[in-house]
Amino acid sequence: MNILIVNDDGIASESLLSLQNTLQSFGTVFACVPDGERSGSSHSTHKYDIVAENFSKSGRGENIYTHTGTASDSVKFFRKFVTKEIDFVVSGVNGGFNLGRDIVYSGTVGAALEANMYGTRSIALSARQHGKNYWAVLPGLLKLLICDADWKGAMCLNVNFPDQPDLSDAKIRFTSVAQTPKPAQGDNDYNLCRNQGFITITPLRLDLTDSESLRQFKNL
């Protein structure tokens, strides 16, 4: 299995080498990340700059590449200059939650969704800024999601870790994206992760069609 790590925090990300080591047991791990921070870049791209002079092998570790583009460009650069044979893309671990409407702005999520455009499944990982408590549970969670879970039609899973993550079944919740900025209650990612301490996992998709409205307009 070929696994590609991408991120929006860039080559200097503290989590990069640790995440690479964590994923080694699941297959051959590569990383392709921006040469600097690209936080908040959403799904933006410098598509006309996907050229060899903007891409290089990093001296930071084995199978690590860097480029001058955005977070989502990481997938483009890797596919063009290394290999298109990618089984999974793992984006992160982002320094800061990506919950609720913040996912619209997230370069971490944008890079994960970019993989879906090529038919590759992806996982976006985020935790509180400077948080490190998730490392104890991350290997088990990645095994669950990469090796054991039946994804069926799913393409992207957005994962957020609370301050004190617990890998027990009772503390993992598949849930929806919060539709208000800071909901204090309800079965949504923001409330469950930030207020109740759950590891939240939300399936995301690229389809932006408002299907209900489309059906209504077709009946005009």
Side-chain angles (χ1 to χ4, degrees):
M1 180 185 295
N2 286 340
I3 301 172
L4 175 62
I5 296 172
V6 296
N7 69 31
D8 70 353
D9 291 323
I11 190 64
S13 169
E14 292 183 5
S15 67
L16 179 57
L17 297 182
S18 298
L19 182 57
Q20 186 182 38
N21 291 335
T22 298
L23 289 166
Q24 295 286 359
S25 61
F26 306 124
T28 303
V29 183
F30 301 88
C32 185
V33 298
D35 59 2
E37 185 176 342
R38 304 290 192 274
S39 296
S41 59
S42 186
H43 205 158
S44 64
T45 179
H46 294 164
K47 61 181 178 180
Y48 300 113
D49 297 324
I50 311 298
V51 293
E53 54 263 40
N54 292 336
F55 176 80
S56 62
K57 186 78 178 286
S58 168
R60 193 174 180 197
E62 185 179 1
N63 290 338
I64 298 179
Y65 302 86
T66 189
H67 60 84
T68 62
T70 66
S72 62
D73 285 337
S74 302
V75 178
K76 295 185 180 73
F77 273 106
F78 189 81
R79 286 176 54 86
K80 184 171 183 178
F81 296 113
V82 183
T83 179
K84 293 181 174 64
E85 301 299 318
I86 311 169
D87 299 293
F88 256 101
V89 166
V90 178
S91 186
V93 180
N94 188 65
F97 293 124
N98 279 306
L99 298 164
R101 293 179 180 178
D102 283 350
I103 66 173
V104 173
Y105 309 103
S106 168
T108 301
V109 175
L113 291 173
E114 178 69 23
N116 300 166
M117 297 180 72
Y118 301 99
T120 302
R121 288 172 173 166
S122 62
I123 300 170
L125 301 171
S126 303
R128 183 182 291 278
Q129 185 77 26
H130 306 307
K132 293 182 173 59
N133 294 326
Y134 56 84
W135 287 110
V137 302
L138 185 57
L141 183 68
L142 288 172
K143 179 181 182 300
L144 172 68
L145 296 181
I146 294 175
C147 302
D148 301 335
D150 181 359
W151 284 55
K152 297 184 178 180
M155 289 299 294
C156 180
L157 298 180
N158 184 39
V159 180
N160 282 271
F161 295 97
D163 290 339
Q164 299 294 332
D166 178 354
L167 195 58
S168 66
D169 291 342
K171 296 303 286 187
I172 298 176
R173 184 71 63 86
F174 285 84
T175 188
S176 60
V177 175
Q179 295 302 305
T180 55
K182 294 183 178 181
Q185 58 187 359
D187 187 8
N188 59 71
D189 58 351
Y190 188 99
N191 180 45
L192 291 172
C193 183
R194 297 202 63 160
N195 300 334
Q196 299 188 35
F198 285 91
I199 297 173
T200 58
I201 306 174
T202 302
L204 304 177
R205 62 182 180 182
L206 284 164
D207 184 2
L208 300 178
T209 304
D210 182 345
S211 298
E212 182 177 349
S213 294
L214 179 59
R215 286 192 295 271
Q216 293 174 351
F217 281 114
K218 283 185 173 181
N219 291 328
L220 288 177

